[in-house]
Amino acid sequence: MRVAIVSDIHGNRHAFEAVLDAIALSDCEEMWCLGDLVGYGAEPDACVALARRHAAVCLAGNHDLGVRGSLPLEEFSRGAALAAKWTQDEITPETRAYLDQLEPANLGEQVGLYHASPRDPIWEYVLSPLQAELCLDVQSQRVCLIGHSHVALSFSRAPGAPATGQTRAADEQLALDGGEWLINPGSVGQPRDGDPRAAWLELDMGDWTAVYRRTEYDIAGAAAAIRAARLPGSLAERLLYGQ
């Protein structure tokens, strides 16, 4: 089966809609989301409605958990906490009910799915080979998908060798038929790897390959929505730079 993997939507309807349009034109049969539908962006209800309609699997991210009250907002940065509080006040009961039933990990598929990492599904940012090594030691499935860092990257470990990894650019392909893997598709709604385009991944579990994708979207429109909602201006500005 070929699956589109998305993560870290963060209330960015413009980016999510553009990615869903790209997925519809691909050969993907399903879409799976690794969490953080809300937080930072100005259109949480729209993003949750799109996930409800299109996601066959959806996880809870730390921002989703914070908005629904499962994590104290004191654990978030100032901008993230302000956006989470705004989101709590703005979302509909239907959006809240959907967030309430999500979990940060799913081990029921052919690959492991975690919002953050196999060691800590909620908070760990896996950005180094050492962190990846520790995660590979504990993960129960050979291939796992993670989000949270907003950086498109992958780590792998061959038998008897240490973990290695790197960031990934658009259209790079991975051969996943051997070794252990930890793969991050990057962020749809707030990329932090220097490429402002929305990031996602095509995963083929038939021939065990993956392809990184980037999709253009209306960044100015998403930034304008953030400013109109009177959210911190930095949340709008960072979209322009992919940071």
Side-chain angles (χ1 to χ4, degrees), residues 16 33 63 68 79 93 95 143 147 151-154 211 240 242:
F16 201 10
C33 178
H63 288 257
R68 78 188 202 193
T95 292
V143 177
V151 176
L153 50 75
S154 70
V211 182
L240 304 173

Side-chain angles (χ1 to χ4, degrees), residues 31-191:
M31 187 268 281
W32 298 351
C33 178
L34 303 179
D36 274 353
L37 294 170
V38 303
Y40 296 132
E43 298 186 75
D45 285 329
C47 290
V48 168
L50 290 168
R52 291 177 64 186
R53 188 177 313 136
H54 295 285
V57 176
C58 191
L59 305 185
N62 57 302
H63 288 257
D64 304 320
L65 295 170
V67 165
R68 78 188 202 193
S70 299
L71 293 176
L73 296 185
E74 291 77 16
E75 296 183 12
F76 292 77
S77 69
R78 179 180 178 275
L82 287 171
K85 181 63 172 67
W86 176 90
T87 304
Q88 287 177 336
D89 294 339
E90 292 292 322
I91 57 174
T92 66
E94 291 76 17
T95 292
R96 172 61 189 267
Y98 184 76
L99 297 179
D100 281 344
Q101 53 92 34
L102 302 179
E103 298 294 337
N106 183 322
L107 302 181
E109 306 297 335
Q110 285 182 263
V111 297
L113 305 175
Y114 301 91
H115 174 65
S117 86
R119 294 198 305 166
D120 180 350
I122 298 173
W123 282 115
E124 183 177 20
Y125 292 92
V126 183
L127 293 168
S128 73
L130 174 58
Q131 288 175 296
E133 187 88 36
L134 296 171
C135 288
L136 291 166
D137 285 343
V138 302
Q139 69 186 43
S140 58
Q141 287 157 291
R142 188 179 67 82
V143 177
C144 288
L145 298 166
I146 58 173
H148 190 52
S149 73
H150 299 208
V151 176
L153 50 75
S154 70
F155 296 97
S156 62
R157 183 171 67 181
T164 61
Q166 64 188 83
T167 57
R168 298 292 181 176
D171 301 322
E172 283 196 64
Q173 183 165 318
L174 306 178
L176 308 175
D177 52 327
E180 300 167 280
W181 289 84
L182 201 58
I183 302 166
N184 192 319
S187 170
V188 169
Q190 194 194 81

